[in-house]
């Protein structure tokens, strides 16, 4: 499909262009010893106990061991999951591309079946897929892909409808129906830390390896099978020459490959933002208006001249 080839080339090019600045930004962070997730350092002050307290000093009572927290009730779990979903539904790349099926919280609460359908519906009705579909249908129209659809408004409408139906069906089956059936989490869990190579491999594996509702990890059957089943359903509305077994499998695996490219962009988007913010801070510092700029020292006020005596009278 033309859109598939164009999308793959464009996104891979974008990743390659931004790879070097990201790597240099990470190297700079390492040189400056800047942690990715800074935490408050524990106090180094020790408290006297019965064995170390000097004579005459009353030792502090021993610190009680932390107690294990009680498991959440179903109502608490549902409330926390809804709070996390609301945060996810505000996530975007370039302030446009919706990334609702992404979380940086490695301990995110598993979603119930109803919440998986809620997440799917929110993604499917967001303006982003409609804009992307319109753009893709325009490319197909310009290159006369699926010539059986014809040209003009009718041809564009058919291409638009087919493209959005592909998106809707694949998401419905992979992220809601099958994910609920096989108890798999439809979200991509960002790694965020580690070497550049490990993060690339992590993002690439996300489309075929997923977290399950019980906290374990395993093959992402829902995503792969959902893409293949969606491609099979598309034979209902695609032209007859596009309904072969080879074309059907190609569409299913192509969608899976596109998901890998999308995961790569989502994984490294925070790095792109940090790199941009670093460059902006450096520019402001050079101009003397950044947060690290040193304000000029106040100049002392020159003393006022001493009064002169009046001239003698003749």
């Amino acid at each position: 499909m033309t859109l598939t080839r164009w999308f793959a080339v464009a996104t891979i090019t974008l990743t390659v262009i931004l790879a070097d600045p990201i790597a240099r930004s990470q190297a700079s962070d390492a040189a400056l010893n800047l942690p990715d997730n800074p935490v408050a350092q524990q106090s180094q002050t020790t408290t006297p106990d019965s064995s170390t307290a000097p004579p005459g000093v009353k030792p502090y009572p021993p610190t009680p061991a932390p107690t294990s927290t009680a498991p959440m009730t179903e109502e608490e779990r549902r409330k926390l999951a809804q709070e996390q979903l609301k945060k996810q539904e505000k996530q975007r790349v370039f302030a446009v591309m919706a990334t609702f099926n992404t979380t940086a919280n490695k301990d995110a609460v598993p979603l119930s079946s109803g919440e998986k359908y809620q997440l799917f519906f929110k993604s499917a009705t967001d303006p982003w897929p409609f804009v992307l579909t319109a753009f893709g249908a325009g490319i197909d129209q310009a290159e006369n892909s699926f010539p059986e659809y014809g040209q003009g408004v009718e041809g564009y409408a058919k291409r638009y409808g087919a493209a959005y139906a592909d998106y809707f069906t694949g998401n419905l089956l992979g992220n809601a129906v099958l994910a609920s059936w096989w108890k798999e989490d439809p979200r991509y869990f960002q790694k965020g830390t580690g070497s550049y190579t490990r993060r690339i491999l992590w993002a690439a594996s996300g489309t075929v390896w997923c977290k399950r509702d019980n906290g374990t990890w395993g093959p992402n059957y829902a995503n792969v099978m959902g893409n293949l089943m969606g491609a099979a359903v598309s034979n209902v509305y695609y032209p007859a020459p596009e309904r072969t077994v080879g074309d059907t499998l190609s569409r299913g695996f192509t969608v899976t490959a596109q998901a890998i490219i999308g995961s790569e962009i989502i994984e490294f988007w925070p790095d792109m933002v940090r790199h941009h913010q670093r460059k902006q801070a450096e520019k402001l510092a050079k101009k003397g208006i950044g947060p690290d700029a040193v304000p000029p020292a106040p100049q002392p006020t020159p003393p006022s001249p001493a009064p002169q005596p009046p001239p003698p009278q003749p």
Side-chain angles (χ1 to χ4, degrees), residues 114-251:
E115 289 160 348
K116 292 173 185 178
Y117 277 91
Q118 174 187 337
L119 188 59
F120 150 73
F121 183 77
K122 178 66 176 180
S123 300
T125 57
D126 186 78
W128 166 246
F130 292 99
V131 172
L132 185 62
T133 300
F135 187 67
I139 294 177
D140 288 342
Q141 180 93 342
E143 298 190 356
N144 199 29
S145 299
F146 313 115
E148 295 81 4
Y149 284 155
Q151 287 292 319
V153 175
E154 181 179 355
Y156 180 82
K158 291 180 179 179
R159 291 178 175 88
Y160 185 96
Y164 184 77
D166 287 347
Y167 170 83
F168 186 92
T169 305
N171 271 325
L172 173 62
L173 294 173
N175 294 335
V177 178
L178 297 180
S180 299
W181 185 12
W182 280 317
K183 300 186 182 303
E184 297 176 0
D185 200 312
R187 296 171 291 186
Y188 169 67
F189 286 77
Q190 288 176 292
K191 186 173 179 61
T193 58
S195 68
Y196 193 61
T197 302
R198 286 180 178 273
R199 292 175 64 190
I200 290 177
L201 295 176
W202 173 270
S205 67
T207 189
V208 294
W209 196 257
C210 71
K211 190 174 185 179
R212 304 188 180 281
D213 293 347
N214 61 5
T216 63
W217 291 78
N220 196 342
Y221 298 116
N223 184 60
V224 176
M225 293 303 299
N227 292 337
L228 291 175
M229 292 172 64
V233 172
S234 68
N235 287 329
V236 174
Y237 48 82
Y238 270 110
E242 305 290 336
R243 299 174 186 172
T244 65
V245 174
D247 289 331
T248 302
L249 293 176
S250 176
R251 287 196 298 271

Side-chain angles (χ1 to χ4, degrees), residues 19-92:
D20 182 61
I22 293 171
R24 285 190 275 110
S25 177
Q26 290 178 333
S28 177
D29 287 346
L32 294 174
N33 195 24
L34 297 176
D36 291 328
N37 296 309
V39 295
Q41 296 183 350
Q42 295 180 349
S43 174
Q44 300 299 321
T45 305
T46 58
T47 56
D49 55 21
S50 58
S51 62
T52 62
V57 177
K58 184 178 180 180
Y60 294 131
T63 303
T67 58
S68 57
T69 58
M72 289 188 298
T73 64
E74 179 60 25
E75 179 64 22
E76 291 173 337
R77 188 215 64 80
R78 186 191 64 80
K79 183 178 180 180
L80 182 57
Q82 285 296 319
E83 291 176 355
Q84 294 174 351
L85 276 178
K86 288 180 180 179
K87 293 181 179 179
Q88 289 175 216
E89 291 173 355
K90 298 178 181 179
Q91 299 173 161
R92 294 186 185 274

